[in-house]
Amino acid sequence: MTESIPACSLDAGGRWRMPAYLAPAIDMHAHPPYDRSQTEPMLAAARRVGIERLILCSVGYSDAVPYPPVEDVRRGNDEVRDLIRKHPGFVFGLIHVNPNHPETREILEQGLQHPGVVGIKLWVSCRDEQGRLDPVYPVLEFATERNAPVLCHAFYRSGGNLYGELSPTDIAHLAARYPQARLVMAHLGGQWLPGVRAVKPYPNVWADFSGSRATMGSVEFAVRELGAGRVLYGSDAFFRSFAAMLAKVAAAELDLPDKRRIVWDNSAALFFGEGVRT
C-alpha cells in the first residue's frame, strides 16, 4: 500500500505551498517566453517552487510555428545558449532542429559543443513533403553517436495530428529502429492511455507529463505501465505553470521514493549522467 504523503500544506500566511519533498527538482521540459520581459520572472518562479535545474528548449524564436525557418531555429537556440551563460548551473538547454533543413547536422554539431547543452529537441517538423519520417533518421543517428537524449513532442490528437507532428506510434517506430537512442515522449503522448501503452515495450523511451491537464490517475498509470524510472517531471512552461505540473506528482498516489525519481533522479541520470541523489 502507498504510504500517506501530504500533497500540499499551508504557510504561515495561509497560502498553499508545495510539499518540501518535491524539492529540489529538475524541470526537463520548458521554453523561453516569447515576451522576453517575462523571461527573468519565469526563471524566478521556477526557483520559488524548488526547481534547481531548468532545461529550456526553443520551438522557434518568434512563435511556436510548425516547420520554423532555419533563421528562427538558430535565433531560438542562440537565446537558450545565452540564458545558459547568464544562469550557469541553473539553466541548461536542448538544441532544437527542424530536421528538414540541410543545415541540421551543422546546428547539432555546434549546439552540443556548448557547455550546458544536454540534448536535442524535435517539434512539429518531423515529416518530409511525402509524409515520411526520413528527415528524423539522421538526427537519431547523430544523437546515438553522441549519446544525447532526444525530447520528442508527440501527440495522439482526437481531430488528427498536425502535419509533421509525431505520434506515440511514431515514437515506438523510432525506438525500435534505433534501440540505442534515448527518446523522451513528451506530454504522455497527448491521449495518455494509448500513448503510454504505445511506448511501453521500448526501454529506451521515457515519458514526461508536461503541458497536459491534471487528470486523476495519469501519473500513476504511467508509473504502473513504464515503471517509475521512465517517468519525468516537466512543466512545458511558459505555456504551463511549474507548480501546476509539480502538483500532479504531489497528488499522485505514489511512494515517496517514486516521486523523487520522477522529479529528480530520472532526469539527473538521463540528461546529466548522475546517480541517485542522497
Side-chain angles (χ1 to χ4, degrees):
M1 175 178 284
T2 302
E3 179 184 355
S4 178
I5 304 170
C8 56
S9 58
L10 297 175
D11 65 15
R15 295 165 298 201
W16 290 106
R17 66 180 181 183
M18 302 304 296
Y21 64 75
L22 290 182
I26 297 173
D27 186 338
M28 46 64 60
H29 186 161
H31 308 283
Y34 295 122
D35 178 354
R36 272 74 197 182
S37 71
Q38 296 304 306
T39 300
E40 293 301 325
M42 186 188 87
L43 300 183
R47 293 182 188 273
R48 282 197 300 274
V49 296
I51 292 169
E52 192 170 284
R53 299 180 193 173
L54 180 64
I55 302 178
L56 296 175
C57 54
S58 170
V59 290
Y61 183 80
S62 305
D63 199 356
V65 178
Y67 291 89
V70 68
E71 296 79 11
D72 221 44
V73 170
R74 290 188 189 277
R75 291 186 72 190
N77 287 331
D78 287 345
E79 178 179 30
V80 169
R81 286 192 289 262
D82 185 53
L83 289 170
I84 292 171
R85 284 189 290 267
K86 289 179 178 177
H87 300 274
F90 174 57
V91 173
F92 298 85
L94 306 177
I95 290 297
H96 168 230
V97 291
N98 171 350
N100 286 273
H101 294 149
E103 299 90 348
T104 293
R105 176 87 186 196
E106 171 204 339
I107 292 171
L108 290 171
E109 291 272 10
Q110 293 178 353
L112 287 179
Q113 291 176 10
H114 192 282
V117 171
V118 295
I120 298 167
K121 166 70 173 181
L122 291 174
W123 196 59
V124 185
S125 56
C126 291
R127 297 187 184 277
D128 62 16
E129 292 180 351
Q130 288 73 44
R132 300 171 301 196
L133 291 174
D134 291 24
V136 175
Y137 299 153
V139 175
L140 296 193
E141 289 162 8
F142 177 90
T144 301
E145 292 169 8
R146 303 303 176 91
N147 198 32
V150 184
L151 172 59
C152 307
H153 171 92
F155 252 79
Y156 282 141
R157 293 187 186 271
S158 299
N161 276 23
L162 303 173
Y163 190 79
E165 184 174 39
L166 295 173
S167 71
T169 300
D170 295 324
I171 301 298
H173 162 73
L174 295 170
R177 183 180 175 104
Y178 298 101
Q180 301 306 312
R182 298 184 297 159
L183 309 178
V184 179
M185 179 181 72
H187 317 304
L188 296 183
Q191 295 185 35
W192 48 273
L193 288 168
V196 168
R197 286 176 176 145
V199 301
K200 180 179 179 178
Y202 304 98
N204 58 327
V205 179
W206 288 254
D208 80 39
F209 48 83
S210 68
S212 54
R213 294 177 180 175
T215 305
M216 183 179 295
S218 59
V219 175
E220 294 94 323
F221 177 79
V223 169
R224 186 166 64 249
E225 294 294 303
L226 303 179
R230 291 171 59 191
V231 181
L232 308 172
Y233 162 67
S235 64
D236 209 17
F238 68 102
F239 299 105
R240 295 284 185 170
S241 159
F242 298 111
M245 298 298 111
L246 275 172
K248 293 181 181 181
V249 185
E253 295 185 359
L254 297 171
D255 292 329
L256 182 55
D258 286 346
K259 293 189 177 190
R260 289 303 307 159
R261 290 186 187 100
I262 291 168
V263 300
W264 183 275
D265 295 343
N266 298 338
S267 287
L270 181 61
F271 293 99
F272 300 97
E274 298 176 359
V276 174
R277 184 167 180 164
T278 58

